[in-house]
Amino acid sequence: MNALTRRVVVGTAVVSMAFAMAACGKTGGDDSNDSKMIGLLLPDSVTARYEAFDRPLIEAKIKELCPDCSVEYANAAGQAGTQAQQIASMIAKGVKVLILDAKDSVGVKSSVQTAVDKGIKVVAYDRLAQGPVSAYVSYDNEKVGELQGKALLEAMGAAATPTSKVVMINGDDADPNAAEFKAGAHSILDGKVDIAYEQTGLWDASTANQKMTAAITQLGKADIKGVYSANDTMAGGIATALKGAGISPPLTGQDAELTAIQRILIGTQAATVYKAYKPEADATAEIAVNLLNGKSITSIADTTKTSLSGNKVPSKLLSAVSVTKDNINDTVVKDKMYTVAQICTADYASACTAAGIQ
């Protein structure tokens, strides 16, 4: 081998070694101790709150608390398999903390375990994911269900009797919150009314519409005295089915979606449950940043919640409030969740005036 050839070979070897070292350093993302990447995974885009409120509020609070932090975001679009892939991708990118609103709280357990095994702290947001999560932030979900049940009984008034037929459309069984909402509502409604038809609406307006249509066919439209919907997205589909049948029994919801507030104003929905997004988002962001920096979270996560997998998780559980026509001004308007202009569009202007929202 001549000198020129030797120089080319050695040079090539050095370059190859440099690429190998660089690649080695990038395996699994940026694993350096000063990485300040926080992952945010939300479950779907059909529920209005996630993209409109949760994401921007969490991202803004993280930036406020940690200006040099970066947020890696992904939405599962309602697919548990997609979310599992997104978690794997974030592990590879080198996130240090993962905020996870699980599409399937049980199915995601192995992904949570993989993340924790890589040294990543997982914060369960809104839904308590299974596995060794470091913290959980949500609302007291059984109390949310109780609020829904009480609002329905109040709206039914004298029609709330043990023989009065009520339709119950619950959330997705893959969401642990759905079971807690249902349990809370049952604790209020059982014995007071006859829950004559109960199905899951999968948090989907179209599915809820189909289930409500089936309930009308099965029970007869004249015999339905009230409808429990676990959230406002499904309530929208249910309201359409009720309108199509020419009936308007009291209908509940949850999440205080803008369209639900407007339905409440015109009387096609009786109540919703307002869970202020900012306190939930702020607490989650603060916990995530503290975990990132190795600081205690006990001043924020001031209680514990035991998951279905038996893990006792430091938790922050917030309190919700029922919203009817009478307190729209004192809740979503006062908190600037929506402006009067957003609520009181042309179709709802007269109803706003009647309700004193101007």
Side-chain angles (χ1 to χ4, degrees):
M1 181 182 295
N2 60 37
L4 177 60
T5 303
R6 279 198 302 275
R7 284 196 296 274
V8 171
V9 170
V10 170
T12 301
V14 169
V15 171
S16 298
M17 186 177 296
F19 275 118
M21 290 174 69
C24 213
K26 290 293 183 182
T27 299
D30 181 4
D31 291 326
S32 62
N33 290 330
D34 61 355
S35 172
K36 290 192 172 182
M37 189 186 302
I38 296 173
L40 172 60
L41 289 171
L42 296 179
D44 67 65
S45 53
V46 297
T47 304
R49 60 171 289 184
Y50 293 126
E51 296 292 340
F53 297 103
D54 298 83
R55 177 188 178 182
L57 286 170
I58 290 171
E59 290 179 339
K61 190 63 177 180
I62 287 172
K63 285 297 183 182
E64 175 191 323
L65 297 171
C66 182
D68 56 342
C69 284
S70 61
V71 179
E72 188 72 24
Y73 174 71
N75 189 301
Q79 300 298 316
T82 298
Q83 190 166 72
Q85 294 168 1
Q86 290 168 344
I87 293 172
S89 175
M90 289 196 179
I91 292 171
K93 288 177 180 178
V95 300
K96 296 302 180 185
V97 177
L98 187 62
I99 297 169
L100 172 65
D101 192 339
K103 170 57 186 172
D104 181 344
S105 64
V106 176
V108 81
K109 182 178 179 180
S110 61
S111 295
V112 170
Q113 186 66 62
T114 299
V116 172
D117 289 345
K118 295 288 186 179
I120 297 167
K121 302 291 186 182
V122 179
V123 180
Y125 179 68
D126 204 58
R127 300 170 180 174
L128 183 50
Q130 303 305 293
V133 299
S134 293
Y136 169 54
V137 181
S138 188
Y139 279 78
D140 188 324
N141 295 315
E142 285 205 26
K143 288 186 178 177
V144 168
E146 291 172 12
L147 285 174
Q148 292 175 305
K150 289 174 183 176
L152 183 58
L153 291 180
E154 288 173 8
M156 290 175 68
T161 69
T163 58
S164 297
K165 289 181 169 52
V166 164
V167 173
M168 195 166 186
I169 306 298
N170 298 309
D172 190 342
D173 291 336
D175 176 358
N177 291 4
E180 294 184 352
F181 300 144
K182 180 167 66 173
H186 269 290
S187 73
I188 300 298
L189 297 174
D190 289 355
K192 305 282 198 323
V193 293
D194 173 18
I195 299 173
Y197 181 97
E198 182 173 7
Q199 292 286 320
T200 174
L202 299 173
W203 299 133
D204 177 68
S206 177
T207 302
N209 176 281
Q210 293 167 12
K211 296 297 175 68
M212 189 67 235
T213 300
I216 293 168
T217 300
Q218 179 178 315
L219 302 177
K221 63 183 184 180
D223 288 333
I224 297 172
K225 303 303 181 184
V227 183
Y228 166 93
S229 173
N231 80 347
D232 290 336
T233 297
M234 295 191 302
I238 291 166
T240 300
L242 295 174
K243 183 179 179 180
I247 55 175
S248 56
L251 167 66
T252 66
Q254 178 192 184
D255 288 336
E257 290 184 2
L258 177 58
T259 52
I261 298 300
Q262 292 171 329
R263 285 194 298 270
I264 289 170
L265 282 168
I266 62 173
T268 55
Q269 184 167 325
T272 185
V273 174
Y274 174 42
K275 302 182 300 184
Y277 304 127
K278 186 168 171 47
E280 187 180 16
D282 285 355
T284 301
E286 191 173 350
I287 286 172
V289 171
N290 279 15
L291 289 172
L292 180 72
N293 294 323
K295 294 181 179 179
S296 172
I297 62 170
T298 55
S299 63
I300 314 159
D302 52 7
T303 188
T304 60
K305 180 87 172 176
T306 302
S307 71
L308 293 176
S309 53
N311 297 83
K312 286 194 172 182
V313 184
S315 301
K316 180 67 176 179
L317 300 179
L318 301 157
S319 297
V321 62
S322 183
V323 175
T324 65
K325 190 182 298 186
D326 293 335
N327 66 345
I328 290 172
N329 260 332
D330 296 327
T331 52
V332 295
V333 174
K334 181 181 178 182
D335 288 356
K336 299 180 180 178
M337 184 175 178
Y338 307 118
T339 65
V340 171
Q342 286 175 309
I343 298 171
C344 302
T345 56
D347 290 340
Y348 304 95
S350 60
C352 279
T353 301
I357 302 170
Q358 299 178 40

